[in-house]
């Protein structure tokens, strides 16, 4: 992912009001390893029930404001973005208000995502050798590509009118 500035991040959000964009708490942008990110995701330090995701869609950053759903789950869910079956972290159900008129009417989309948006790190972990001749690097690249596709699909669904 290409490095983004504070201004680029704030202006990228498609389902947030001007006030929400202005008040969002940004991560430490200088500390991020941008080359290792397939998308930028973080939880708000002031409001842990709120999360943010910024992905590159058609070469442009597109941000989505997420809210943690109320309640819990009965069993351990799988992240629908990284699909990691050996998750070292929790998975949370987030809800995003749709962009535009649909969002103003109250339409939302939900998704199960790693609680602290660790998907980029999860897909880069070395996969166990499944069989003799298994191409570990090809499997890793496939997981990275699948993550990018899942995030892209979700962001496009939020922005679709």
């Amino acid at each position: 992912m290409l490095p983004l500035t504070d201004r680029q991040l704030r202006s990228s959000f498609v389902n947030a009001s001007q006030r929400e964009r202005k008040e969002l708490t940004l991560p430490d942008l200088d500390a991020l390893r941008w080359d290792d990110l397939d998308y930028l995701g973080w939880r708000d330090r002031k409001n842990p029930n709120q999360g943010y995701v910024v992905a590159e869609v058609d070469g442009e950053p597109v941000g989505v404001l997420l809210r943690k759903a109320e309640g819990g789950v009965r069993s351990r869910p799988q992240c629908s973005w990284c699909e990691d079956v050996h998750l070292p972290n929790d998975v949370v159900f987030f809800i995003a208000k749709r962009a535009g008129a649909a969002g103003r009417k109250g339409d939302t989309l939900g998704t199960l995502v790693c609680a602290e948006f660790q998907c980029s790190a999860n897909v880069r972990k070395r996969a166990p050798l499944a069989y003799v001749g298994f191409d570990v690097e090809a499997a890793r690249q496939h997981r990275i590509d699948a993550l990018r596709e899942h995030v892209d699909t979700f962001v496009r669904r939020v922005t679709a009118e």
Side-chain angles (χ1 to χ4, degrees), residues 7-99:
R7 186 171 181 218
Q8 289 172 310
L9 282 173
R10 289 181 192 280
S11 66
S12 73
F13 286 88
V14 296
N15 67 339
S17 68
Q18 289 284 51
R19 190 180 113 254
E20 288 170 323
R21 289 179 190 162
K22 183 180 176 185
E23 294 175 357
L24 69 87
T25 305
L26 294 174
D28 181 1
L29 301 178
D30 295 328
L32 294 173
R33 296 180 57 187
W34 292 94
D35 290 340
D36 294 337
L37 295 176
D38 301 294
Y39 69 91
L40 175 60
W42 74 97
R43 300 278 289 271
D44 194 315
R45 292 184 305 275
K46 296 177 186 173
N47 181 1
N49 288 329
Q50 195 158 288
Y52 308 96
V53 169
V54 178
E56 288 181 25
V57 176
D58 298 329
E60 295 294 322
V62 178
V64 175
L65 178 115
L66 304 164
R67 298 204 194 293
K68 183 179 175 225
E70 299 287 326
V73 293
R74 293 184 186 193
S75 62
R76 185 167 173 87
Q78 179 178 340
C79 175
S80 61
W81 289 2
C82 67
E83 298 178 331
D84 194 330
V85 295
H86 303 291
L87 280 176
N89 50 270
D90 289 330
V91 172
V92 174
F93 188 68
F94 281 107
I95 298 169
K97 180 176 65 172
R98 306 256 328 256

Side-chain angles (χ1 to χ4, degrees), residues 95-111:
I95 298 169
K97 180 176 65 172
R98 306 256 328 256
R104 287 189 291 276
K105 290 190 308 188
D107 290 355
T108 60
L109 290 172
T111 188

